[in-house]
Amino acid sequence: MSEQFVRLGTPHPHVFLGQNHARNERRTWLTIVLTAAMTVAEIVAGTVYGSMALTADGWHMSTHAAALLIAALAYLYARRHAHNPNFTFGTGKLGDLAGFANAVVLALIAVLIGWESLVRLYSPVAIDFSQAIGVAVLGLAVNMISAWLLREDHGHNHGGHRHDGGHHHAHHGYSHVADNNLRAAYLHVLADALTSVLAIVALVLGSLYGWIWLDPVIGVVGAVVIARWSWGLIRQSGAVLIDYAPPGENLPAQIRSAIEGEGDEITDLHVWQLGPGHHAAIISLQSLKPQSPACYRAKLAHIDNLSHVTIEVEPRAV
């Protein structure tokens, strides 16, 4: 039985970076500068003035600065190696790899916060409420600015282009898609902000009513919330890394709906994510009346986020 395999006639790029890659990279570096400056200031001030609260919060922020550095370096490396042919399908997944690593770091931070809170619950320590509240408020302000910088924009659309041949590269207008690298950086900042908010509440109530136990109890609550965020990010970024298609993924159904019918039947279909807003598909189909590659490409042209397509066509036995 004869086989028609649609092949590419000319070389083409495999750049599958996120829509806002450059913007997200710049904002991540800016957040690192802000966080690092706050970290150094708190550690130095804590050392000079003998404040354990300032010193501890400074070292705590340093862990988030390190996590943000992972995200920033992933953006930098992905951009610089976007055209490296050794990356068969581009560097779009580096952000998901960094996001997964940061999710693990976030989980470790949750464990440390939870453990420290339990230790303090059973062995209470004296708290300088006024100084601790001041540190928490200052940290919250920095975290809110950082969270604003790392926010994600939604609903942006842009034009696209398509290369001829069996491989289809399209950058259609598309709705918001998650950038797991940015999300990981954002969650680190949000986790820090959450601990600051919870600390302020606990410290204010503790100073008013003498409830020293409330601080570690709320610390445990914060650790649980952060752990849940971490687990969600691990699942989402991990799914991308192992090419797992979530049950709600509608791209396979869209592809089948666009191609099947009039004697054309898809016999094998693989769809996976290449990067934020970019998916690839390998389609094997049988047809009573095999059409040209351009015909099948035209049928898929309207599908958002489908950036790389390889099609194999075989005559279908009557």
Side-chain angles (χ1 to χ4, degrees):
M1 180 171 58
S2 62
E3 177 182 288
Q4 178 188 3
F5 188 76
V6 182
R7 295 187 184 277
L8 178 70
T10 57
H12 57 277
H14 291 78
V15 180
F16 302 118
L17 303 180
Q19 178 186 5
N20 295 316
H21 187 95
R23 187 212 70 170
N24 294 344
E25 181 182 351
R26 288 193 303 271
R27 292 190 176 188
T28 302
W29 282 113
L30 183 57
T31 303
I32 289 174
V33 172
L34 186 63
T35 305
M38 182 66 185
T39 297
V40 173
E42 286 192 342
I43 293 176
V44 171
T47 303
V48 172
Y49 298 113
S51 169
M52 191 58 204
L54 274 174
T55 304
D57 194 65
W59 284 112
H60 172 72
M61 287 195 73
S62 71
T63 62
H64 291 287
L68 290 170
L69 184 61
I70 293 175
L73 291 176
Y75 279 127
L76 177 64
Y77 190 89
R79 174 172 55 82
R80 288 188 174 180
H81 292 267
H83 296 276
N84 187 337
N86 291 330
F87 291 95
T88 305
F89 283 103
T91 56
K93 280 189 177 182
L94 279 172
D96 297 286
L97 180 60
F100 186 87
N102 266 328
V104 173
V105 173
L106 196 64
L108 293 176
I109 290 174
V111 171
L112 291 175
I113 292 175
W115 174 254
E116 179 65 20
S117 297
L118 290 175
V119 169
R120 291 197 177 192
L121 184 62
Y122 288 99
S123 300
V125 296
I127 300 175
D128 185 334
F129 289 106
S130 59
Q131 186 182 77
I133 290 173
V135 172
V137 170
L138 184 59
L140 178 60
V142 172
N143 292 139
M144 294 305 292
I145 295 173
S146 298
W148 180 82
L149 287 172
L150 296 176
R151 74 193 187 284
E152 291 187 275
D153 292 336
H154 300 268
H156 287 283
N157 296 321
H158 58 84
H161 63 276
R162 185 166 63 245
H163 293 279
D164 292 332
H167 297 281
H168 166 208
H169 289 256
H171 301 283
H172 311 288
Y174 53 77
S175 57
H176 168 76
V177 290
D179 181 335
N180 285 325
N181 195 23
L182 185 70
R183 185 183 174 211
Y186 179 76
L187 284 181
H188 272 280
V189 170
L190 205 62
D192 221 3
L194 174 66
T195 56
S196 295
V197 170
L198 293 179
I200 291 171
V201 172
L203 291 169
V204 169
L205 293 177
S207 64
L208 292 175
Y209 303 105
W211 296 345
I212 298 179
W213 54 266
L214 187 59
D215 182 67
V217 167
I218 288 187
V220 172
V221 173
V224 171
V225 173
I226 294 171
R228 289 193 60 185
W229 290 346
S230 170
W231 175 240
L233 183 56
I234 286 175
R235 291 182 60 186
Q236 185 171 340
S237 57
V240 175
L241 293 175
I242 63 173
D243 298 328
Y244 173 76
E249 177 64 67
N250 63 353
L251 272 179
Q254 286 182 285
I255 292 172
R256 289 186 180 277
S257 177
I259 289 182
E260 290 189 326
E262 300 180 354
D264 296 325
E265 180 184 2
I266 293 178
T267 57
D268 195 20
L269 175 62
H270 299 273
V271 180
W272 69 99
Q273 185 171 323
L274 299 171
H278 298 283
H279 287 75
I282 296 177
I283 306 168
S284 296
L285 63 92
Q286 292 182 345
S287 176
L288 293 175
K289 297 180 180 180
Q291 303 295 316
S292 67
C295 177
Y296 296 108
R297 290 201 305 274
K299 290 182 178 181
L300 298 172
H302 68 284
I303 299 180
D304 294 342
N305 302 343
L306 193 55
S307 302
H308 190 286
V309 177
T310 302
I311 303 176
E312 182 183 43
V313 185
E314 293 181 342
R316 181 180 178 185
V318 179

